[in-house]
């Protein structure tokens, strides 16, 4: 039976390849050659689809992305240009082969820890008249379309791509201006009316009733980071590489260019960027433990970082709350270049081993901030990584890479391997954004790449856009919970600030409040004492980018809910989406005298009505109801 199956697959592949070659051989002036790729088991006209075309007049390829038969990305240019070959034009199809990619894997962090990915991959083999080769890989799943270029032979360094994304006329866009650290506000535009300039590679569009989030996956030091470039009045967003020349030695496989598409819930709940990434390079993940942390920078600033006694006080407070980590930011270490590291006792210059010992006795692990410049050479990495492991430090927050150059991604490759070897959790700041890293390197708990809590420029609209843009693609270290900061855009809503701790997913949820601010808000403190950092399931309950977002995240049998809204006060009507049965739902909302907790019994398929103040939000926890149950506490 297996032999017959293999024969049928082989015959089908040969037929597809022959048909593709015959179609591609149309005479000049004929209609473009067209090939389609559909999601696995997709019903006719439903789900994502890809349509590849080859212009017979010049041999230039383009790709269209559809959802439910409607175009969400118009036919858009494809191609890559190297020192010795222009692989964006003059192409002819040599053959096509298809395969199904079906994978199950677990992650340490993210929207859900157990993943099942199923995709159809089509490989289109192209050649030029002078013998240059380009393979185009197109993958289609139930929540997205992606493509990448494979150059089987060495054709020199890459000098650019012609890749682009063209939107249907009238499409809406939610974009952030590009910065080298990916920290900028998101704002809404008409896709054609957005100002000319460069935008971050995490752009959300809406065409008709469907959404499309443009991202990338599997970016390593073999290539360069990308951004989007938009010309005034155009509906096309071109891909621009950081490096003018990407160094290549031999064959090349580029990162995936991904379009997550579907309704808003499909995009928000998608794990497509991780699904495209390589499997984990860390075999033993038992030491990787996501959890909330008390982050002392916004709570105490640099003086706290320089004081052992203050850090011990933060450890005590974290222990009282049941938070497994504290994060010690800048100021805790001297310049290592001033130390004589040939002295076997050089580590005694730091009080960190004493803090680690103190935390260990109280069940609190210590994570430390360290500047990228102190880890950018092999000698520095050999100095620091084994030492931090020896001290018992649990993780590193590495800051100020501020680059998406190929050289920087080579550094990422090295530091990711090094931190895994020395059992150090990782939080990247001043960094790129997740591009499948959580699957490949599961010790990466979170990354900044966001205009976060410490900024003074945030807007309510920005807060309500992040769940549909930056946070879709991976852990986001926004650092919520800084109730003491008057600069936050939801300053009138402590409940909205509390809701961000659920709304924004991060493997290490760095809580940025002062102990005093939590003690003044016992309901917030009580909620944060229960919140996990890893989730079994995530659902979008309600939302509209830039206007509001409500997400529910499940940990075992409890659902935690976070909501934020921009604009006037209202009563939010939130569909629960928990299915049948009775649930106890405890909400935390803003009241005249502070936060108010209220419990009620609701069916899991009904709506939750929640009062929300202007530019505010709420937090909630839901658990199965039974007679006599009055709380969802464990």
């Amino acid at each position: 039976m297996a032999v017959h199956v293999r024969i049928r697959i082989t015959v089908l592949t040969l037929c597809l390849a022959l048909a593709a070659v015959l179609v591609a051989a149309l005479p000049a002036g004929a209609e473009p050659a067209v090939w389609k790729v559909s999601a696995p088991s997709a019903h006719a006209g439903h789900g994502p689809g890809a349509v590849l075309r080859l212009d017979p007049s010049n041999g230039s390829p383009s790709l269209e992305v559809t959802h439910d038969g409607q175009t969400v990305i118009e036919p858009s240019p494809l191609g890559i240009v190297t020192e010795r070959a222009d692989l964006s034009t003059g192409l002819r199809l040599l053959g096509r082969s298809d395969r199904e990619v079906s994978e199950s894997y677990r992650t340490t962090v993210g929207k859900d820890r157990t993943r099942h990915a199923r995709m159809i991959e089509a490989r289109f083999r192209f050649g030029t008249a002078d013998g240059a080769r380009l393979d185009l890989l197109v993958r289609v799943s139930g929540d997205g379309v992606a493509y990448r270029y494979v150059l089987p032979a060495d054709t020199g360094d890459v000098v650019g791509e012609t890749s682009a994304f063209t939107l249907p006329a009238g499409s809406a866009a939610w974009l952030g201006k590009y910065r080298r650290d990916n920290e900028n506000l998101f704002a809404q535009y008409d896709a054609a009316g957005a100002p000319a300039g460069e935008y971050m590679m995490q752009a959300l569009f809406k065409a008709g009733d469907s959404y499309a989030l443009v991202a990338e996956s599997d970016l390593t030091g073999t290539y360069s980071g990308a951004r989007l470039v938009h010309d005034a009045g155009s509906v096309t967003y071109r891909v621009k590489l950081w490096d003018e020349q990407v160094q290549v030695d031999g064959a090349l496989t580029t990162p995936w260019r991904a379009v997550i598409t579907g309704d808003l819930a499909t995009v928000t709940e998608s794990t497509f960027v991780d699904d495209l990434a390589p499997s984990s390079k860390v075999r033993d993940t038992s030491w990787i433990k996501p959890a909330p942390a008390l982050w002392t920078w916004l709570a105490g600033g640099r003086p706290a970082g320089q004081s052992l006694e203050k850090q011990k006080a933060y450890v005590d407070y974290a222990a009282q709350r049941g938070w497994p980590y504290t994060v010690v930011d800048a100021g805790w270490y001297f310049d290592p270049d001033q130390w004589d590291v040939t002295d076997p006792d050089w580590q005694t210059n730091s009080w960190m081993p004493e803090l680690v010992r103190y935390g260990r006795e109280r069940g609190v692990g210590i994570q430390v901030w360290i500047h990228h410049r102190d880890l950018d050479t092999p000698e520095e990495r050999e100095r620091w990584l084994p030492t931090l492991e020896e001290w018992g430090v649990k993780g590193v927050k590495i800051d100020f890479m501020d680059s998406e150059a190929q050289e920087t991604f080579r550094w990422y490759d090295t530091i990711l391997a090094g931190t895994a070897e020395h059992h150090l959790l990782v939080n990247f700041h001043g960094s790129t954004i997740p591009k499948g890293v959580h699957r490949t390197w599961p010790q990466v708990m979170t990354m900044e790449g966001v205009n976060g809590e410490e900024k003074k420029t945030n807007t309510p609209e920005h807060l309500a856009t992040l769940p549909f843009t930056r946070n879709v693609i991976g852990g986001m270290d926004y650092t919520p919970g800084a109730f003491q900061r008057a600069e936050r855009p939801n300053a009138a809503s402590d409940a909205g600030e509390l809701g961000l701790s659920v709304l924004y997913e991060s493997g290490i949820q760095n809580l940025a409040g002062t102990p005093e601010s939590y003690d003044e808000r016992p309901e917030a403190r009580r909620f944060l004492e229960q919140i996990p950092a890893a989730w079994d399931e995530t659902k979008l309950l309600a939302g509209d980018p830039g206007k509001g977002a409500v997400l529910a995240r499940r940990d075992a049998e409890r659902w935690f809910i976070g909501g934020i809204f921009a604009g006037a006060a209202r009563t939010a009507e939130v569909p629960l989406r928990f299915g049948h049965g009775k649930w106890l739902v405890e909400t935390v909302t803003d009241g005249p005298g502070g936060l108010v907790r209220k419990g009620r019994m609701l069916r899991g398929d009904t709506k939750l009505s929640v009062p929300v103040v202007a530019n505010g939000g709420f937090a909630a926890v839901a658990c199965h109801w039974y007679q006599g149950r009055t709380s969802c506490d464990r």
Side-chain angles (χ1 to χ4, degrees):
M1 183 65 177
V3 174
H4 292 299
V5 171
R6 285 197 296 270
I7 291 173
R8 285 197 295 270
I9 293 174
T10 302
V11 171
L12 174 61
T13 302
L14 290 173
C15 289
L16 286 170
L18 179 60
V21 172
L22 292 174
V23 173
L26 292 172
E31 291 295 317
V34 178
W35 306 275
K36 295 184 178 182
V37 186
S38 300
S41 303
H43 299 293
H46 292 282
V51 183
L52 177 65
R53 292 178 173 85
L54 191 67
D55 189 330
S57 66
N58 58 14
S60 296
S62 64
L63 188 73
E64 176 186 4
V65 177
T66 64
H67 180 258
D68 288 352
Q70 301 297 311
T71 298
V72 292
I73 301 291
E74 295 279 1
S76 301
L78 299 174
I80 186 169
V81 181
T82 71
E83 291 176 304
R84 299 195 293 272
D86 182 351
L87 296 166
S88 67
T89 188
L91 300 179
R92 60 188 181 90
L93 188 71
L94 305 177
R96 168 184 177 172
S97 58
D98 288 32
R99 71 184 183 110
E100 181 173 310
V101 178
S102 184
E103 299 174 326
S104 295
Y105 64 97
R106 284 183 60 83
T107 62
T108 55
V109 298
K111 301 168 192 176
D112 48 78
R113 283 173 280 201
T114 301
R115 314 281 181 86
H116 303 285
R118 191 169 174 224
M119 299 171 270
I120 293 297
E121 178 184 281
R123 179 183 288 264
F124 297 92
R125 294 179 291 278
F126 291 102
T128 65
D130 57 4
R133 280 282 313 280
L134 169 69
D135 287 3
L136 175 71
L137 269 61
V138 179
R139 283 190 179 181
V140 182
S141 74
D143 55 352
V145 172
Y147 67 88
R148 73 191 321 175
Y149 307 117
V150 178
L151 278 60
D154 188 348
T155 56
D157 292 348
V158 172
V159 296
E161 292 185 26
T162 56
S163 313
F165 301 92
T166 300
L167 282 302
S171 296
W174 291 266
L175 309 169
K177 288 280 190 178
Y178 184 76
R179 276 177 48 133
R180 60 185 183 178
D181 57 8
N182 290 281
E183 298 172 31
N184 240 332
L185 294 175
F186 280 91
Q188 182 175 353
Y189 306 95
D190 177 84
E198 298 181 347
Y199 294 93
M200 294 184 286
M201 194 72 168
Q202 42 178 317
L204 179 68
F205 302 98
K206 185 181 182 184
D209 295 327
S210 297
Y211 290 83
L213 178 67
V214 173
E216 59 183 339
S217 181
D218 192 16
L219 175 57
T220 69
T222 62
Y223 211 65
S224 176
R227 67 195 79 165
L228 297 174
V229 179
H230 177 245
D231 299 320
S234 173
V235 290
T236 296
Y237 289 76
R238 296 177 282 110
V239 172
K240 177 182 177 181
L241 302 179
W242 176 287
D243 297 284
E244 293 185 1
Q245 188 159 322
V246 180
Q247 297 177 9
V248 179
D249 182 14
L252 172 68
T253 299
T254 70
W256 292 102
R257 306 274 174 244
V259 179
I260 305 169
T261 187
D263 60 21
L264 192 59
T266 298
V267 172
T268 309
E269 299 167 14
S270 172
T271 61
F272 191 47
V273 169
D274 284 346
D275 295 344
L276 292 165
S279 300
S280 173
K281 295 180 181 292
V282 182
R283 296 185 65 180
D284 175 19
T285 60
S286 61
W287 56 275
I288 301 174
K289 300 184 185 303
L294 178 60
W295 178 44
T296 63
W297 182 252
L298 291 188
R302 183 176 292 274
Q306 294 172 335
S307 168
L308 173 60
E309 292 309 310
K310 286 186 178 180
Q311 289 298 334
K312 284 184 175 181
Y314 287 123
V315 166
D316 290 338
Y317 194 79
Q320 293 166 11
R321 307 280 74 80
W323 296 331
Y325 299 113
T326 65
V327 179
V328 185
D329 218 280
W332 69 269
Y333 69 91
F334 297 99
D335 183 352
D337 292 332
Q338 298 177 2
W339 300 352
D340 180 9
V341 296
T342 62
D343 180 351
D345 297 323
W346 70 272
Q347 297 97 328
T348 59
N349 285 293
S350 175
W351 43 257
M352 185 54 65
E354 167 61 18
L355 181 65
V356 171
R357 181 199 62 78
Y358 187 84
R360 185 186 301 117
E361 292 175 351
R362 289 154 180 80
V364 176
I366 307 300
Q367 301 183 34
V368 298
W369 179 94
I370 190 166
H371 201 294
H372 161 259
R373 67 175 174 236
D374 295 322
L375 292 169
D376 61 356
T377 68
E379 296 77 15
E380 289 167 338
R381 291 188 290 273
E382 186 56 35
R383 174 190 302 164
W384 273 114
L385 299 183
T387 298
L388 293 174
E389 181 184 27
E390 179 183 340
W391 286 350
V393 167
K394 297 298 184 183
V396 286
K397 175 183 175 182
I398 308 174
D399 208 345
F400 295 121
M401 284 68 71
D402 292 339
S403 165
E404 294 188 302
Q406 182 181 24
E407 179 183 7
T408 304
F409 280 99
R410 288 174 174 169
W411 174 86
Y412 277 115
D413 293 343
T414 301
I415 201 68
L416 286 165
T419 51
E421 178 186 354
H422 293 286
H423 289 187
L424 294 168
L425 305 179
V426 178
N427 174 2
F428 288 120
H429 268 233
S431 66
T432 186
I433 54 180
K435 302 174 188 294
V437 69
H438 294 305
R439 180 182 182 185
T440 308
W441 296 101
Q443 81 273 21
V444 178
M445 296 286 95
T446 190
M447 305 176 78
E448 190 178 27
V450 64
N451 213 68
E453 185 80 279
E454 62 183 318
K455 298 297 179 66
K456 299 180 180 180
T457 56
N458 283 331
T459 65
E461 292 76 16
H462 174 68
L463 300 191
T465 304
L466 290 175
F468 309 112
T469 50
R470 167 62 182 84
N471 213 191
V472 170
I473 59 178
M476 181 178 77
D477 196 22
Y478 180 89
T479 69
F483 297 103
Q484 74 277 9
R485 287 177 66 83
E487 302 92 343
R488 56 188 175 92
N490 57 351
S493 176
D494 286 346
E497 185 67 27
L498 184 63
L500 298 183
S501 65
V502 177
L503 191 66
Y504 297 159
E505 184 274 318
S506 179
I508 297 293
Q509 191 65 283
N510 283 296
L511 302 172
T514 62
E516 295 78 12
S517 71
Y518 295 136
D519 291 342
E520 292 166 359
R521 298 164 177 82
E523 290 298 343
R525 185 182 64 193
R526 178 178 179 275
F527 186 87
L528 293 172
E529 286 172 351
Q530 301 179 64
I531 192 168
W535 306 102
D536 295 312
E537 189 176 0
T538 293
K539 290 185 178 183
L540 176 66
L541 302 186
D544 192 351
K547 297 179 181 178
V550 183
L551 267 72
R553 302 187 190 274
R554 182 174 62 82
D555 172 51
E557 64 100 21
R558 294 191 300 174
W559 286 93
F560 289 80
I561 306 171
I564 196 72
F565 297 87
R570 72 199 71 186
T571 297
E573 300 289 339
V574 181
L576 289 181
R577 293 185 61 198
F578 295 160
H580 298 293
K582 295 179 181 180
W583 292 78
L584 174 62
V585 182
E586 294 182 277
T587 58
V588 182
T589 57
D590 296 294
L595 293 173
V596 176
R597 175 163 52 99
K598 178 182 178 181
R600 70 195 86 170
M601 190 275 286
L602 295 170
R603 290 187 58 83
D605 54 1
T606 189
K607 288 186 177 181
L608 171 67
S609 296
V610 189
V612 177
V613 302
N615 294 324
F618 72 97
V621 59
C623 55
H624 288 290
W625 181 86
Y626 52 78
Q627 189 67 36
R629 186 167 197 174
T630 59
S631 170
C632 288
D633 291 356
R634 281 186 171 166

